[in-house]
Amino acid sequence: MLIIAASAANRKHRPMRMGGGSSLFLESAVLVVLLGCCILPPSARAAVHYYDFVLKETNFTRLCSSKSMLTVNDSLPGPVIRVHKGDTVYVNVYNHGSYGVTIHWHGVKQPRNPWSDGPEYVTQCPIEPGSNFTYEVIFSKEEGTLWWHAHSDWTRAGVNGAIVVYPKEGTTYPFEEPDGEEVVVLGSWYKGDVNEEVEEDLESGSDTPRSDAYIINGQPGDFCECSKDFTHRWSVDYGKKYIIRLVSAVMNAEMFFAIGGHNFTVVGMDGAYIKPLVTSFVMIAPGQTMDILVTANQSLGQYYMATRQYDSVKPDVTDYDKVNATAILQYTGNYTDTSAPLFPDTLPIYYDYKSAINFMSHIRSLANEEYPVDVPRNITTFMYITASMGEVEFVKNSTTKTGLASSLNNVSWVNPSTDVLMAYYRNLSGYFTTDFPDWPGKFFNFTADDVSDDYELAVQGTRVKMLNYNEEVEIVFQGTNVMDASEDHPMHLHGYAFYVVGAGYGNFDNETDPKSYNLVDPPEVNTVSLPKKGWVAIRFRASNPGVWLWHCHLDRHYSWGMTTVFIVKNGGTPETSIKEPPPYMPPCKDSSLQLRKSDAASSVEWNKGDV
Ligand code: C2O
Ligand code: CU
């Protein structure tokens, strides 16, 4: 196999316009890698791309107030990475900010390459200010839309962007080729310094900040103060067909999204095509991505693309971000239309649980000859995992306090001081334990309206689950109503996509519920919403060796410990084993949360690394 390496000298830079934003960024040269050209068919050719990501503080004014925030290349959302299926991208990240950061390539499976997956203290330590690190992002089966984001603290509020994966050169979409493309990134806006606020909240054990607005391609839109002049606009030509690459980079809420006057067709989700789904709105969870076809077939004019929170918490909890963020779809041409843009009357209201469930239940894989499914049928590892809100006890200034926490099977994740991957690869003991439980410690009516307080206390730990190579895994996630705090949890697995074979209300019944599983055309995704007071069943084959994080993609739940790690062992041959580490990994210098060894929750200390 011959790989041509790029030398800095022969890379030419060409400017490229981002689909969804206003700034320019540099995409370095594309080099073709010849993978044994004489034996493989031409379609097996993959390209290599280079990007430079410069992390730095950028000034923003939104909602009449100014702040500076870390971004990539000064843009919000950040640069779009565009590749064809099977390509490889090297992203050189330079940290010109003032704190350590890592970047994760959300939904990219990175076969055998956990080294470049990104989650802080799981596969690497932070890229410290003044240093840089090159990620090797290996695309394999993904096709459609994915995204990237910071995976340290809450930095991803400003450090995120879309990834567009086109069909392999010489192949095409399973639908008519669109005439144009629009990248739409939904996000959360905080007026303050969100990392600072979160750090204080975590230290005191209190609730985390609420966003001040939602944003579309960096802008909250016409209905927010000091925003109207900057609303994101997208021009379309009458009669043309477009593909919207929709990404939810929102921090802590699921969102509804719709376009005034236009129905559309969802054709892809999380980097895989689905059976075309015609709809007048979508519900999209943090972490999810969708490919949406829309035809510009309405009267020449302006139409709002609008998003608002889907709030699954409780009708009596009304303290959420109620902003209706908007962008404008405007037809080109000569017309005099002075009326306000049309707002989508199909955008469900905040607490419209039924619409959310209804939308989710209609997603199906293509499952045809060209895009087959491979659903595991001989399950060798079964796990039943409760996802709960709760509390943990921790010691601060020699007093025991309790603080908000969340947990999986009653274990609330704590980051080790050296990343799990390095500790595992180098066989270092003392950084994690391999006893993540397959079952909840206690069984009770998880979804009752009045769960007893006895179930609130979780234990802290860095407990991982070991899986043998090629194990066929089924996990049933069970939502709970502990603390009367049930809500949807968008569960995300790194390194894999999985099939969502079932979902339902209430407690999972292991006799009757599996009978309703869809093993024929279940959606294959990397993030799934565990419905409030319900369960969801997923399956995957553990064919990617490595250290892979699993977590709720609501950042407050992630910070509170609704997180764990799978270590998938090597399969015994070089092709089934973790790649060699790259020559340089960012060194670990301290950890933000250090695990103090102890079995009992009450004596676990929760320190800010200053001991
Ligand atoms: Cu979007 Cu752990 O990631
Ligand atoms: Cu959650």
Side-chain angles (χ1 to χ4, degrees), residues 488-490 552 554 557 562:
D488 287 10
H489 298 290
C552 174
L554 303 181
H557 294 175
M562 195 176 278

Side-chain angles (χ1 to χ4, degrees), residues 104-107 117-119 147-151 156 248 286-288 492-494 526-527 549-553 555 558:
H104 167 55
W105 318 93
H106 181 121
D117 190 49
W147 65 302
W148 54 267
H149 60 80
H151 215 299
R156 77 174 179 86
S248 178
Q288 289 184 318
H492 169 52
L493 173 60
H494 290 216
N526 62 55
T527 304
L549 183 68
W550 236 134
H551 62 97
C552 174
H553 219 292
D555 268 38
Y558 175 53

Side-chain angles (χ1 to χ4, degrees), residues 258-261 280 308 342-349:
I259 306 176
S280 59
R308 68 161 69 110
L342 184 67
F343 192 88
D345 56 5
T346 55
L347 187 69
I349 197 69

